[in-house]
Amino acid sequence: MEQNLILLYTLFAPLVGAMLLLFLPKEKEGLIRAFGIGVSLITFFLSLAAWSMFDASKAEFQLQQQFLWLSRYNISFHIGADGLSMIMVLLTTFLTTLTLWTSWSGIAKKVKEFTFFMLILEVGMLGVFVSVDLFLFYVFWEAMLIPMYFIIGIWGGEQRIYASIKFFIYTMAGSLLMLVAIIWLFMYAYNDVHMYTSNINDLYKIGPKIPFEIQKWLFLAFTISFAIKVPLFPFHTWLPDAHVQAPTAGSVILAGVLLKMGTYGLLRFSIPLFPQSAHYFAPAISTLAVIGIIYGALVAMVQTDMKKLVAYSSVAHLGFVVLGIFALTPESVQGAIIQMVNHGLSTGALFILVGAIYERTHTREIDAYGGIAPIVPVYSTLLLIVSLSSIGLPGLNGFIGEFLILIGAFKSPVLNNWMFSIVAASGVIFAAVYLLWMYQRVVFGPVKNEGLRALKDVTAREFTIVALLLVFIVWIGVYPATFMKITEASTAKLIKETLTTLSIRY
Amino acid sequence: MRHQIYLAILLPLLGFLFNGLLGRKIKNEKIVGAIGSGAIGLAFLVVLVSFFETVALPAEQRALIVPLFSWLKVGLLEINIGYQVDQLSLVMAMVVTGIGFVIHIYSIGYMHGDKGFWRFFTYLNLFIFAMMNLILADNFVLLFLGWEGVGLCSYLLIGFWYDRKFEKSTTSDAAKKAFVVNRIGDFGFLIGMFFIYLNFNSLNFTEVFSRAGVLSGIPESTFNIIALCLFIGATGKSAQIPLFVWLPDAMAGPTPVSALIHAATMVTAGVYMVARCSILFASAPLALTVVAVIGLATAFFAATIGLVQNDIKKVLAYSTVSQLGYMFLALGMGAFTAGIFHVVTHAFFKALLFLGAGSVIHGMHEEQNIQHYGGLKKYMPVTQRTFLIAAIAIAGIPPFAGFFSKDEILWKAFSHGGFFFWFIGAVTAMFTAFYMFRLYILTFEGKPRFDSAHVHPHESPKLMTIPLMILAVLSIVGGFIGLPHVLAGEHGNLLENWLEPVFKVADARLLRSAESSGSLEVLFMVLSVCIAAVSIYFARRVYLNKPAIADKAAGTFSGLYRTLLNKYYVDEAYDAAVVTPILKTSRTVLWKFTDVKIIDGLVNSTASLFTGLGERMRKLQTGVAQFYAVLMIAGIALALFWLISIIN
């Protein structure tokens, strides 16, 4: 096996940074902030370097690194990246950098602790995406909860304790199910091949052989755990609370990366490990996904709090992703993956913009605003473009993902029913309603109250951050090939192997 | 230049970027206006040169595809950003850039002094960019990009004066309504694309249409579904029943916008799309009938509403809806050329009517109620004369542009649809001539009904009147491109000859040929001229000589009058049947009940179940040592008992 250190460097750069950070004096907040951004920027460049060494034409894990960890059970610290991992790593390092930069003004207290937790969180997230060992994956999956718990619990809004505990317990409940399933799978593998293995590639060969009656419970244990993270309807009620209470940075990372771990898990584990069960449950899960699309949009429509509106819109957007994943066509899965990225960019930008105005007025109530277009023209323009991207306007990123998911699901041999796509497509109407309605009430109309006249337009820092996101929003909209190429081979492999196991012809 | 057709798309994009990024800093109307209009003028030149190059080629070499780069390539999908130069797209592109250019020039005068001057030109250029993508796209997905793009520009421009009131609400309400109603149509269009992809494994025009052309075992029902889905899209964009409700509200935007987007170009996108997919529609008889019936019904109902409206732009808006209905009637009859012909002539005279209305509104200090006009003839001679030309053109008096195109539609309605289609179409024509001259007379003729002490009407500046004159000329002569066979001979219809290769396959499938008709067609022609003339005479008699008749009629038929005035209460019905229930259900049933009470309730009660259990368990921890000892001994005893039982 070829050994390459670049992924290891990428994974541990933020950890080393976090350790060094401990030696900085806590009063020097500016230095700490700059240091945090610097570390995340280095990590970002390392991930770019990893991308440059990555061969997108190959479907298997690359840039691997393996150390034996628990030799008795043959569990190793084994990392590597296929296309899916690669694109998620890039998204993570990019968003973490922007988030730390955003927090320059948003986080006022305990800056050192905040920066520390953010860097640790980044390690956890990256670890989830690059683990090739199932136990290692689980360790990162759980570890990442802790910094997030503190970020919401310490720097959050008024009901931060409630929100952070709800977040923790919800996810924890799912994780425990998964842990039981992992141990069961591990023992089954031992009985099957008379050797302990937790290497994903080995398990891929074993999972499909598990008798269906047992396999379906394992599938459910994994999938419910991921579904909570996504969140798939009806496991979504932790999300609005967590988003509303979290500081802007928390919301951006939560929406941008954490939710994607759920959909990543579906693609990495649920489907390839248990293809028969995935096929069996695909209609049921797709139904929940479609319900989520409509439900999330309808509930978003009647929200009075901007952040809650965006949170519910996430439920709808992630519904598209899950639908695309379980439709299992090249179009829909590629669409789902690019939609994971899109949601990170667009919703991240929305949270940053909502956060920016919250910092000025300390309210997120839609009704408190109105007529700010002439007062903050640049802000209004940015908010419009980001909203349009979220609405799925062709030419911007959201359209590419939604269109591919819908057209793929429409002709999916696994779902074998047009109705999923048709009902889901009606979500595009509601998306236009809730976002444009919010936009109209906040930005247009006569100036609602005199206090708004003193609003300051975006600062250079805020502008640059959102503009950087916009670059990719337009890029993916006009020339998605740059990013879709990364995952093309691994998606093709996933679909080919799954459909071969199921003997479905595509 | 044909191979560089993308320049006609790139130029408006550059104009958009320039004014969008720098316009606010430049603050100079001359520069902003010149860049904005110049980009469109150059684009028009590109199209014009391409047109003449194409004309010079033999018919079978005229169609050309110019791919730029690969946009989406997944599975079987291979979508390019690529443009199609053919007879149909060139006609549409000339109309869009040509009329677009004239309206840009007009806007320099009309928007003079507006604080959003630069923003206006930014949006207008973006509109042309999107519209050109729609027209020139060589595949459905890129067409859809343009389709949604023009919808966005429409949204931005309707809500351009975002701090103004409009009727009972605000301009931004009207803008949002336009976008959302259009999205409902787009939903249909999307589903149509999915069905096309499912059946043809492609979304490129060339492949889809050639596969559809050879009828490879695809059942008629599939064609019907596809065509109907696409048509839902068309009803949204082109304001047909049941999705027409947004267009009258779209008048909240500045008048040049109404002229360009909501009369001449964007709203005809649905007509263009259906014509482009002629082979799909020709293979779907049921869908064609639906198109014809919806078109006819829309033409008729919108015209009746137009009879009683008092807002100058509202009358024109309903007139537009009605005229679009005619175009769909033509398409439904399988007369694709006739539909496109009416798109072209309508673009000339309706743009002229709107720009004339804008000139009047400009001169009357933003007053839009025609009951407060009157006798403007002597104050605005250019506006009056050009407006009259347009009114004659739309009323259908030969040899003005509207006569030929409308008459061809009516003739096709008779020859392919039967007497009923012709009759309703002719009644609609009667109404059209009537409301148009009611509008003209109440505005320009008779005595002034405004307070001349405070209102001083004046003619608009040259920047605005010259565009009116250009369009007036086009409204007079525009009809000659499509002279009927009876008058011009077997091959005298220029437009028909030109478009023949595009619609050849569809015509063949419908068994339509360029039939030559005889004296019957002449008879019908004479008949429709008479209808128009009588109608105009009637309008003149009522509104110029005896205005009391109108009031009396309104009084006698007050129920009907109020129904028409309130546009058949369609908005109110939609609100009560769709909008309010959805909002209420979402708020109470979905959010406050399902989300908060049921799901969260379940989660929280699970949590309290465990805390409750914990509470109970805690009671076991009494803190009395003896109690623990008793439990311990009991436990040991049990364990021993169990062990012994196993050993035995």
Side-chain angles (χ1 to χ4, degrees):
Chain A
M1 192 172 62
E2 37 113 28
Q3 296 275 334
N4 191 317
L5 288 167
I6 187 71
L7 266 189
L8 197 69
Y9 291 151
T10 314
L11 176 59
F12 283 122
L15 184 67
V16 173
M19 294 305 140
L20 292 176
L21 180 77
L22 295 177
F23 296 102
L24 294 179
K26 66 190 286 183
E27 318 78 54
K28 299 209 167 163
E29 294 188 347
L31 178 68
I32 290 170
R33 290 183 208 272
F35 183 80
I37 295 167
V39 170
S40 61
L41 202 59
I42 289 169
T43 316
F44 176 59
F45 283 122
L46 284 168
S47 69
L48 285 183
W51 183 21
S52 73
M53 296 174 201
F54 180 81
D55 180 356
S57 64
K58 293 200 186 112
E60 62 267 27
F61 287 104
Q62 301 172 41
L63 314 175
Q64 296 194 59
Q65 243 333 293
Q66 185 173 11
F67 311 100
L68 204 55
W69 185 18
L70 300 170
S71 55
R72 166 101 170 69
Y73 294 106
N74 194 25
I75 293 172
S76 45
F77 183 92
H78 186 178
I79 59 172
D82 67 351
L84 179 62
S85 310
M86 196 66 240
I87 201 162
M88 294 320 290
V89 165
L90 290 169
L91 180 70
T92 306
T93 53
F94 179 63
L95 282 181
T96 306
T97 311
L98 289 192
T99 315
L100 276 168
W101 200 12
T102 305
S103 310
W104 199 286
S105 60
I107 300 296
K109 61 171 185 181
K110 303 192 177 160
V111 177
K112 185 171 169 183
E113 287 84 344
F114 176 79
T115 313
F116 176 78
F117 281 127
M118 284 296 288
L119 292 174
I120 294 295
L121 183 62
E122 186 174 17
V123 181
M125 297 187 294
L126 290 173
V128 164
F129 294 131
V130 299
S131 295
V132 184
D133 185 286
L134 187 54
F135 279 103
L136 184 65
F137 167 82
Y138 188 76
V139 169
F140 280 122
W141 174 272
E142 290 292 283
M144 175 222 76
L145 279 183
I146 301 162
M148 197 65 214
Y149 171 79
F150 283 115
I151 288 172
I152 300 177
I154 297 176
W155 293 274
E158 276 166 21
Q159 288 181 299
R160 56 183 181 268
I161 304 295
Y162 172 73
S164 57
I165 290 179
K166 194 169 172 183
F167 161 75
F168 198 88
I169 292 187
Y170 239 114
T171 352
M172 202 55 198
S175 306
L176 286 176
L177 283 176
M178 180 162 66
L179 181 61
V180 174
I182 287 177
I183 293 170
W184 203 97
L185 182 66
F186 187 64
M187 298 315 290
Y188 183 90
Y190 178 72
N191 290 332
D192 192 54
V193 294
H194 305 293
M195 187 189 100
Y196 286 115
T197 180
S198 49
N199 182 313
I200 296 176
N201 283 317
D202 296 335
L203 295 175
Y204 282 166
K205 295 185 193 96
I206 296 163
K209 291 192 287 186
I210 302 173
F212 180 69
E213 281 311 308
I214 300 166
Q215 196 202 54
K216 81 178 178 197
W217 293 107
L218 295 177
F219 171 83
L220 284 178
F222 272 87
T223 305
I224 288 175
S225 166
F226 298 139
I228 289 173
K229 199 75 139 203
V230 167
L232 185 68
F233 176 90
F235 305 111
H236 65 278
T237 56
W238 64 269
L239 186 74
D241 285 314
H243 266 318
V244 171
Q245 297 306 325
T248 301
S251 299
V252 174
I253 288 295
L254 200 57
V257 185
L258 257 65
L259 306 189
K260 308 307 147 41
M261 291 183 174
T263 47
Y264 173 86
L266 295 174
L267 283 166
R268 174 70 73 222
F269 300 103
S270 292
I271 289 175
L273 278 179
F274 317 112
Q276 293 91 346
S277 310
H279 183 215
Y280 178 77
F281 286 108
I285 294 172
S286 302
T287 306
L288 290 179
V290 171
I291 292 176
I293 293 171
I294 306 295
Y295 185 93
L298 287 176
V299 177
M301 201 155 72
V302 291
Q303 295 306 312
T304 55
D305 180 307
M306 288 196 249
K307 241 181 158 180
K308 229 173 187 167
L309 187 151
V310 181
Y312 275 107
S313 83
S314 290
V315 176
H317 281 132
L318 270 296
F320 275 106
V321 177
V322 173
L323 176 66
I325 290 172
F326 279 89
L328 271 175
T329 60
E331 294 91 339
S332 71
V333 174
Q334 282 288 72
I337 296 172
I338 205 75
Q339 188 66 358
M340 284 156 72
V341 177
N342 290 340
H343 179 260
L345 300 172
S346 305
T347 309
L350 274 177
F351 276 126
I352 289 172
L353 286 170
V354 171
I357 200 163
Y358 175 78
E359 279 172 28
R360 291 160 171 75
T361 58
H362 299 285
T363 174
R364 289 184 301 257
E365 282 297 312
I366 295 173
D367 283 345
Y369 297 96
I372 62 171
I375 305 165
V376 286
V378 180
Y379 178 87
S380 305
T381 311
L382 293 175
L383 185 62
L384 180 66
I385 303 175
V386 171
S387 302
L388 291 172
S389 119
S390 191
I391 286 172
L393 189 84
L396 301 177
N397 59 350
F399 172 73
I400 303 289
E402 286 178 8
F403 181 75
L404 289 176
I405 289 167
L406 290 172
I407 206 162
F410 193 78
K411 56 176 290 192
S412 159
V414 172
L415 298 180
N416 200 18
N417 191 337
W418 307 329
M419 282 320 283
F420 291 109
S421 266
I422 295 187
V423 179
S426 68
V428 302
I429 303 173
F430 296 119
V433 178
Y434 64 74
L435 276 170
L436 287 186
W437 196 24
M438 171 184 99
Y439 188 76
Q440 175 196 347
R441 284 180 290 168
V442 171
V443 172
F444 289 151
V447 180
K448 189 105 171 238
N449 78 59
E450 290 307 306
L452 292 173
R453 287 197 195 278
L455 267 186
K456 292 260 181 312
D457 212 336
V458 286
T459 62
R461 179 177 53 85
E462 288 164 339
F463 178 82
T464 316
I465 291 171
V466 179
L468 281 170
L469 288 164
L470 283 182
V471 167
F472 290 95
I473 284 175
V474 175
W475 190 340
I476 295 178
V478 177
Y479 194 70
T482 320
F483 305 95
M484 295 186 53
K485 238 177 11 211
I486 303 177
T487 57
E488 203 174 288
S490 41
T491 302
K493 174 167 170 270
L494 171 75
I495 291 167
K496 187 165 155 269
E497 287 180 0
T498 311
L499 295 191
T500 311
T501 313
L502 299 173
S503 28
I504 292 176
R505 275 198 51 224
Y506 178 69
Chain B
M1 205 43 96
R2 265 155 56 82
H3 293 268
Q4 284 81 38
I5 194 72
Y6 52 81
L7 288 177
I9 292 149
L10 200 62
L11 284 161
L13 180 66
L14 292 176
F16 157 73
L17 290 174
F18 181 87
N19 278 336
L21 295 174
L22 305 173
R24 195 153 46 98
K25 301 221 172 66
I26 293 174
K27 284 204 185 80
N28 183 333
E29 287 190 2
K30 283 205 181 96
I31 297 176
V32 170
I35 296 273
S37 314
I40 309 305
L42 288 173
F44 178 58
L45 280 180
V46 171
V47 176
L48 208 59
V49 173
S50 306
F51 172 72
F52 285 115
E53 282 173 7
T54 310
V55 171
L57 291 169
E60 63 280 3
Q61 291 174 22
R62 284 178 180 162
L64 170 76
I65 284 179
V66 186
L68 289 191
F69 59 89
S70 165
W71 187 21
L72 277 173
K73 193 170 172 306
V74 201
L76 296 170
L77 266 186
E78 281 190 42
I79 304 293
N80 283 333
I81 300 283
Y83 299 105
Q84 177 175 30
V85 184
D86 76 346
Q87 294 86 342
L88 179 58
S89 60
L90 280 172
V91 168
M92 293 297 293
M94 278 194 292
V95 171
V96 169
T97 49
I99 307 251
F101 177 58
V102 171
I103 294 177
H104 271 72
I105 300 285
Y106 176 94
S107 304
I108 299 177
Y110 190 85
M111 297 304 288
H112 171 68
D114 192 291
K115 63 183 190 298
F117 189 89
W118 66 276
R119 212 158 43 85
F120 186 80
F121 277 87
T122 306
Y123 295 162
L124 226 48
N125 279 8
L126 182 65
F127 168 76
I128 301 280
F129 166 74
M131 191 70 201
M132 292 298 276
N133 271 296
L134 195 166
I135 288 167
L136 290 163
D138 76 342
N139 64 72
F140 281 98
V141 190
L142 187 57
L143 184 151
F144 189 65
L145 179 142
W147 189 268
E148 290 259 288
V150 291
L152 167 70
C153 298
S154 168
Y155 167 81
L156 292 170
L157 285 162
I158 295 170
F160 182 77
W161 288 313
Y162 46 69
D163 47 358
R164 288 197 193 173
K165 288 263 173 251
F166 176 71
E167 298 188 343
K168 284 169 216 154
S169 52
T170 57
T171 57
S172 49
D173 269 321
K176 188 194 67 189
K177 181 172 168 185
F179 196 85
V180 171
V181 172
N182 264 294
R183 272 247 156 168
I184 297 175
D186 297 350
F187 164 71
F189 191 88
L190 263 181
I191 306 295
M193 278 201 273
F194 299 163
F195 275 110
I196 292 171
Y197 185 53
L198 186 70
N199 288 288
F200 297 98
N201 287 324
S202 172
L203 283 171
N204 293 320
F205 291 153
T206 325
E207 289 150 37
V208 172
F209 297 152
S210 67
R211 283 168 202 174
V214 296
L215 267 186
S216 46
I218 293 168
E220 192 180 297
S221 57
T222 306
F223 279 111
N224 275 326
I225 293 175
I226 292 175
L228 284 174
C229 286
L230 295 179
F231 181 59
I232 292 174
T235 58
K237 196 63 65 198
S238 296
Q240 297 294 292
I241 292 172
L243 298 180
F244 68 95
V245 287
W246 65 271
L247 185 60
D249 285 17
M251 299 301 125
T255 308
V257 172
S258 313
L260 177 63
I261 301 185
H262 304 120
T265 57
M266 183 187 86
V267 288
T268 62
V271 183
Y272 164 77
M273 188 268 289
V274 173
R276 173 58 76 200
C277 302
S278 58
I279 180 61
L280 300 179
F281 280 81
S283 315
L286 174 69
L288 267 191
T289 312
V290 172
V291 173
V293 171
I294 293 276
L296 186 69
T298 311
F300 179 78
F301 284 111
T304 57
I305 297 173
L307 290 172
V308 300
Q309 298 300 313
N310 286 323
D311 182 317
I312 186 169
K313 289 181 72 179
K314 273 277 155 75
V315 178
L316 294 177
Y318 280 104
S319 161
T320 305
V321 175
S322 172
Q323 296 296 309
L324 290 164
Y326 271 124
M327 298 172 203
F328 282 101
L329 174 61
L331 299 173
M333 292 297 147
F336 301 105
T337 308
I340 295 297
F341 185 23
H342 203 53
V343 166
V344 175
T345 58
H346 177 257
F348 297 154
F349 59 70
K350 191 51 71 63
L352 175 52
L353 286 170
F354 266 113
L355 294 189
S359 175
V360 170
I361 295 167
H362 195 74
M364 290 292 289
H365 314 285
E366 307 295 314
E367 176 61 64
Q368 298 196 12
N369 190 332
I370 50 177
Q371 302 295 354
H372 300 160
Y373 293 163
L376 294 181
K377 200 167 161 178
K378 70 173 176 203
Y379 304 101
M380 319 180 157
V382 181
T383 306
Q384 177 257 330
R385 272 176 220 149
T386 51
F387 199 93
L388 181 60
I389 289 170
I392 295 174
I394 189 176
I397 300 291
F400 289 56
F403 168 75
F404 293 107
S405 56
K406 189 193 286 182
D407 213 61
E408 189 175 345
I409 292 173
L410 285 177
W411 171 245
K412 295 279 160 113
F414 177 75
S415 57
H416 301 310
F419 178 76
F420 175 77
F421 281 91
W422 175 83
F423 180 73
I424 302 289
V427 172
T428 306
M430 189 173 83
F431 288 163
T432 309
F434 185 82
Y435 68 64
M436 209 32 98
F437 274 83
R438 167 179 177 263
L439 178 64
Y440 168 75
I441 290 161
L442 286 177
T443 306
F444 294 104
E445 306 278 342
K447 292 194 187 67
R449 290 183 300 281
F450 50 86
D451 177 7
S452 50
H454 295 102
V455 182
H456 308 288
H458 55 84
E459 184 58 282
S460 299
K462 284 246 158 36
L463 267 175
M464 290 165 69
T465 51
I466 291 173
L468 293 180
M469 293 182 231
I470 296 172
L471 288 170
V473 172
L474 289 170
S475 300
I476 296 171
V477 303
F480 291 110
I481 59 168
L483 290 178
H485 296 155
V486 225
L487 300 181
E490 190 69 35
H491 297 289
N493 188 328
L494 298 176
L495 190 68
E496 194 173 274
N497 294 343
W498 173 249
L499 290 175
E500 193 262 343
V502 181
F503 301 131
K504 197 168 50 188
V505 188
D507 284 342
R509 181 150 304 165
L510 288 168
L511 308 172
R512 296 284 150 79
S513 54
E515 76 270 43
S516 105
S517 43
S519 46
L520 197 58
E521 192 177 351
V522 180
L523 179 73
F524 272 87
M525 225 179 258
V526 175
L527 204 57
S528 58
V529 176
C530 292
I531 290 172
V534 169
S535 226
I536 292 170
Y537 169 77
F538 223 60
R540 201 176 159 79
R541 209 174 140 68
V542 173
Y543 291 100
L544 197 58
N545 306 342
K546 300 205 169 123
I549 299 180
D551 294 336
K552 215 175 131 197
T556 323
F557 304 104
S558 68
L560 180 65
Y561 176 73
R562 252 181 290 121
T563 310
L564 291 181
L565 196 62
N566 287 300
K567 309 136 198 166
Y568 296 99
Y569 300 100
V570 175
D571 274 327
E572 287 77 1
Y574 282 2
D575 252 348
V578 183
V579 181
T580 317
I582 287 186
L583 278 180
K584 269 205 172 138
T585 317
S586 304
R587 187 172 294 121
T588 54
V589 181
L590 294 186
W591 180 29
K592 296 264 162 83
F593 185 70
T594 313
D595 233 48
V596 176
K597 288 260 162 59
I598 298 195
I599 303 179
D600 247 12
L602 218 61
V603 172
N604 287 339
S605 54
T606 316
S608 40
L609 176 76
F610 282 109
T611 45
L613 266 179
E615 281 295 316
R616 302 255 164 80
M617 302 279 252
R618 198 175 64 111
K619 299 218 173 92
L620 294 176
Q621 318 275 317
T622 51
V624 182
Q626 291 91 323
F627 181 66
Y628 292 154
V630 170
L631 277 183
M632 195 169 82
I633 289 166
I636 292 171
L638 269 176
L640 274 175
F641 187 73
W642 183 66
L643 273 175
I644 291 164
S645 65
I646 294 177
I647 292 164
N648 291 341

